[in-house]
Amino acid sequence: MSGRPGFNEEETPLTRLATRRGRGGEPFLSAAEAMAGERIRADFTRAQMTPSIGQRWDAMPRAPRHGGSHDLSDTAIDAKRRVSEACTAIGPELSGLVLDVCCFLKGLETVERERQWPARSAKLLLKTGLAILARHYGFDREGQSREGRIRRWRAPKDAADEDGGRA
């Protein structure tokens, strides 16, 4: 049993979709799509955007009011920026769905009922949103060439360095 509070990662809607197999035996979500969903959830959690469940005792009436970005660390601010950039990349049509399923851990049936969508429509729209998110994070290029990646940290040698500074 884990010592940290939260949720069982084996029972998230995204994990269930990633492990579910289609008719041909292939997983419903690709590895890149599942990784993209987990990454946005991790950033969402780091950004402290999850709703508070209990009462907050640090915000007593006589205590000085802080709130806003004063209470956030640089890590949380960066994570919030990454979530915002990811939502912009997904677009306004699908970002709410991706956030609901990946970050708020809502089931697909709940999302369809709340949005009054036809049955099993959220599943396909979520796959589309996660594919866009995987492309945004660069997970769809994992098996392709390494073009554009940093190969070494030093600057390339110029002609003066190659011959020892002799001209």
Side-chain angles (χ1 to χ4, degrees), residues 90 94 133:
I90 298 170
L94 298 175
L133 190 60

Side-chain angles (χ1 to χ4, degrees), residues 74-128:
D74 290 340
T75 304
I77 292 170
D78 286 342
K80 190 175 260 192
R81 179 189 48 79
R82 287 191 301 270
V83 169
S84 176
E85 289 172 355
C87 288
T88 301
I90 298 170
E93 298 84 6
L94 298 175
S95 62
L97 171 64
V98 170
L99 289 177
D100 278 348
V101 174
C102 296
C103 302
F104 292 112
L105 305 176
K106 290 183 179 179
L108 294 175
E109 298 84 13
T110 305
V111 171
E112 290 166 351
R113 188 174 47 254
E114 287 176 355
R115 296 171 188 235
Q116 299 177 352
W117 286 354
R120 292 178 281 292
S121 60
K123 187 175 177 181
L124 295 175
L125 290 173
L126 178 66
K127 183 169 177 61
T128 304

